[in-house]
Amino acid sequence: MTHRWRPSPHHPTSPRTVSWPVVILAASLTIATVAVATPPAGVVSNTILAQGSTAGALKENIRIGDNWAVNLDDKGQSEFYFQDLVVAPGGRTGWHSHPGLLLITVKEGSLDFYNKDCVKHSYSAGQSFTEAAEPHNGLNPGPGNVHLLVAYIVKKGEPRRIESPQPKCGEALGLQ
């Protein structure tokens, strides 16, 4: 159903055609996405310690001996963030993703990390892991706070965090 929009006499714009079904569909999809996002809970502190942009593209290819190597190549500019995050017992990060790579070390406590398929990996103090563009969620199962130190490498100009809807497997497991 298409309606003809007529501007008021005080509006200098010419007439336009508005497709109300498209507007209603777009609004309902936006509302549905917001409704199923699972926000963080139990965050005790979340401090960005530093932030900076690269001057250009990164191209690092490092080899140490014959049995270790790391390669980091990007296109365009990246932003680095350094974060200190503390989550209380029973707290969670909520389902989210990132437009880049995160390097995470558990400084204190433990964290249950769930990937997009709800496969759980548990990490404790002194262990490190990565997060990236696939949706994930972290929960603190322990009796004390979990303290994480996080280094981000993300596309310049993008948000550090992108909210994600809870996957069906998360619903089935009772994860938020």
Side-chain angles (χ1 to χ4, degrees):
M1 176 174 188
T2 304
H3 295 281
R4 192 92 169 132
W5 176 75
R6 301 261 183 228
S8 75
H10 306 292
H11 197 283
T13 317
S14 62
R16 298 181 186 171
T17 300
V18 176
S19 176
W20 289 108
V22 172
V23 171
I24 292 167
L25 176 63
S28 65
L29 289 175
T30 301
I31 291 167
T33 300
V34 171
V36 295
T38 58
V43 174
V44 174
S45 69
N46 182 2
T47 306
I48 299 298
L49 302 172
Q51 171 187 350
S53 299
T54 60
L58 300 172
K59 185 165 181 71
E60 300 293 337
N61 299 304
I62 302 163
R63 295 201 179 294
I64 306 296
D66 292 332
N67 60 358
W68 189 87
V70 66
N71 299 308
L72 176 60
D73 294 315
D74 70 358
K75 292 181 181 178
Q77 285 184 287
S78 294
E79 286 186 285
F80 292 5
Y81 292 88
F82 298 90
Q83 177 183 25
D84 188 321
L85 177 64
V86 178
V87 180
R92 64 178 183 274
T93 64
W95 289 96
H96 66 283
S97 64
H98 307 280
L101 177 66
L102 277 65
L103 308 171
I104 303 163
T105 296
V106 180
K107 183 174 180 183
E108 175 184 329
S110 62
L111 182 80
D112 287 346
F113 175 87
Y114 292 86
N115 68 17
K116 67 179 176 61
D117 298 318
C118 298
V119 175
K120 179 174 93 171
H121 299 276
S122 296
Y123 301 98
S124 57
Q127 293 184 308
S128 298
F129 62 101
T130 61
E131 289 182 2
E134 296 290 336
H136 51 270
N137 192 357
L139 283 75
N140 177 357
N145 290 341
V146 62
H147 188 172
L148 306 172
L149 296 176
V150 186
Y152 293 71
I153 304 172
V154 297
K155 180 180 178 185
K156 184 174 181 179
E158 294 291 321
R160 286 180 298 114
R161 177 186 165 106
I162 301 166
E163 300 301 324
S164 298
Q166 181 180 38
K168 295 258 186 239
C169 60
E171 241 177 82
L173 291 173
L175 304 173
Q176 292 194 7

